[in-house]
Amino acid sequence: MELYKQQKIKIYNSLSNQKEDFVSLNEGYIGMYVCGPTVYSNVHLGNVRTFMSFDLVYRYFKHLGYKIRYVRNITDAGHLENDADVGEDRIAKKARLEEIEPMEVVQRYTVDFHNVLRKFNLLPPNIEPTATGHIIEQIEIIKSIIDNGLAYEVNGSVYFDVLKYNEKEHYGILSGRNIEDAIHNTRVLDGQSEKRNPQDFALWKKAQPEHIMRWPSPWSDGFPGWHLECTAMSTKYLGEQFDIHGGGMDLKFPHHECEIAQAQAHNNVTPVKYWMHGNMLILNGKKMAKSTGNYILPEEIITGNNSILSKPFPATVARFFMLQAHYRSILDFSNDALVASEKGYYRLMNAVNLLDNIQESKSSSIDISNWIQSCYDAMNDDFNSPILIANLFEGVKTINLLVEKKETLSSDDLKTFKATFNTFIFDVLGLENVTSTDSSEKLSNVVELLIDMRNEARINKDWALSDQIRDQLADAGVQLKDGKDGTTFSI
């Protein structure tokens, strides 16, 4: 029996604001779309966290044996400043400021995006379409929405008629907003006068003479609206209806709300069964923002070239830190938090290394089946990585007992335990074992020096110092064990 048939997964669906049993539209197959980056600047840490959350989802589904098609787009046109329908294209603006071609901007930051995600060990999606590669599909969807009476053309631009759509459907079904409140709170902005209603959003914009990125259409030389791109690419590769659509919490409105409306107006079906949203990453208790200087780039964590962290950290330690929080919770990034995570990470890797040397026994003194199921239960509960990690540290305790020969596992049980422990650490959580020989030797040398100091204190009957060294090492995650052959340690 396939592994996924043995596990009952619950997913928090933003559409219903509750956990729901996950049942894929087609048994054994999953279609998942995640909104990718607009490639006009270096990918920031909050983006990395969002994509890492869905990397975890992707990895777990793969582990369970689902055939999953994961689509994550690249927005390389049409995303205007402030997520609005007026203003300058973000990529074109960057090109103008740096005096290069827009596609040079796209190439530079797409490469940066891929490099950063590779360092954090994110698996690539199955398909990574670009907005500019799907202009024809977007034009065809606009034609369909116009034919269905839910969009209109004015002065070469095409807008989605939100009020007319809302007569039969609920514009606001995902975000919980209602159109009456939106009308009441709308500001009148310059450039919106050609819309019938301020809530209407652009499907196609006529390009002004200075606008570099433009394509021919039945209405004008122009460019597609940002929201339309994801509808075109998700439905092309996953069908009119698919299982999961993910993204950051900040995209829920208006981006994802508009996606639902567009797809409904085009295909007359609800496009997505489960909407998933990751929460934000803050820095030292405050929102990350370049304008205030309260931000750090992913690359700066690895190099240590920043004013926030006390030292460089491996990318996999930062990954471990982020996975210690549930994807729907706000996560506060700080030096102290990362230092604490690093200690936990190396405890886990030390246990992995110890596991290779454990000898099997004729019989098992412990039952590992409940522990194994607890790991699955954590992931089955809306991909609860912090609970999974807590269970893995319970596994570390078991490993220490096996090393000390206080417990035993038979050959089959030991093989199953090793496979489960390593699978959840490396295949599901996506961690990497970066414990280098140099760092291990340095750590060993320091601990051995402290053991020598403790032995000397014991010879001198300085029990207070002896206990202090032992206890402080224990607080740092280093366990000393006194035996007939001397003192050994484990992390």
Side-chain angles (χ1 to χ4, degrees), residues 85 141-142 145-146 148-153 157-166 169 171 195-204 227-228 257-266:
D85 287 336
I141 291 175
I142 296 171
I145 296 174
I146 291 174
N148 290 337
L150 292 171
Y152 57 92
E153 182 267 337
S157 293
V158 181
Y159 295 98
F160 189 92
D161 194 329
V162 170
L163 292 187
K164 193 166 185 181
Y165 171 82
N166 201 60
E169 305 293 343
Y171 182 77
K195 295 182 184 182
R196 291 178 183 171
N197 305 288
Q199 290 73 32
D200 295 349
F201 56 88
L203 300 174
W204 186 266
H227 311 307
L228 184 65
E257 198 73 75
C258 293
E259 279 192 61
I260 292 174
Q262 290 164 163
Q264 186 81 32
H266 171 48

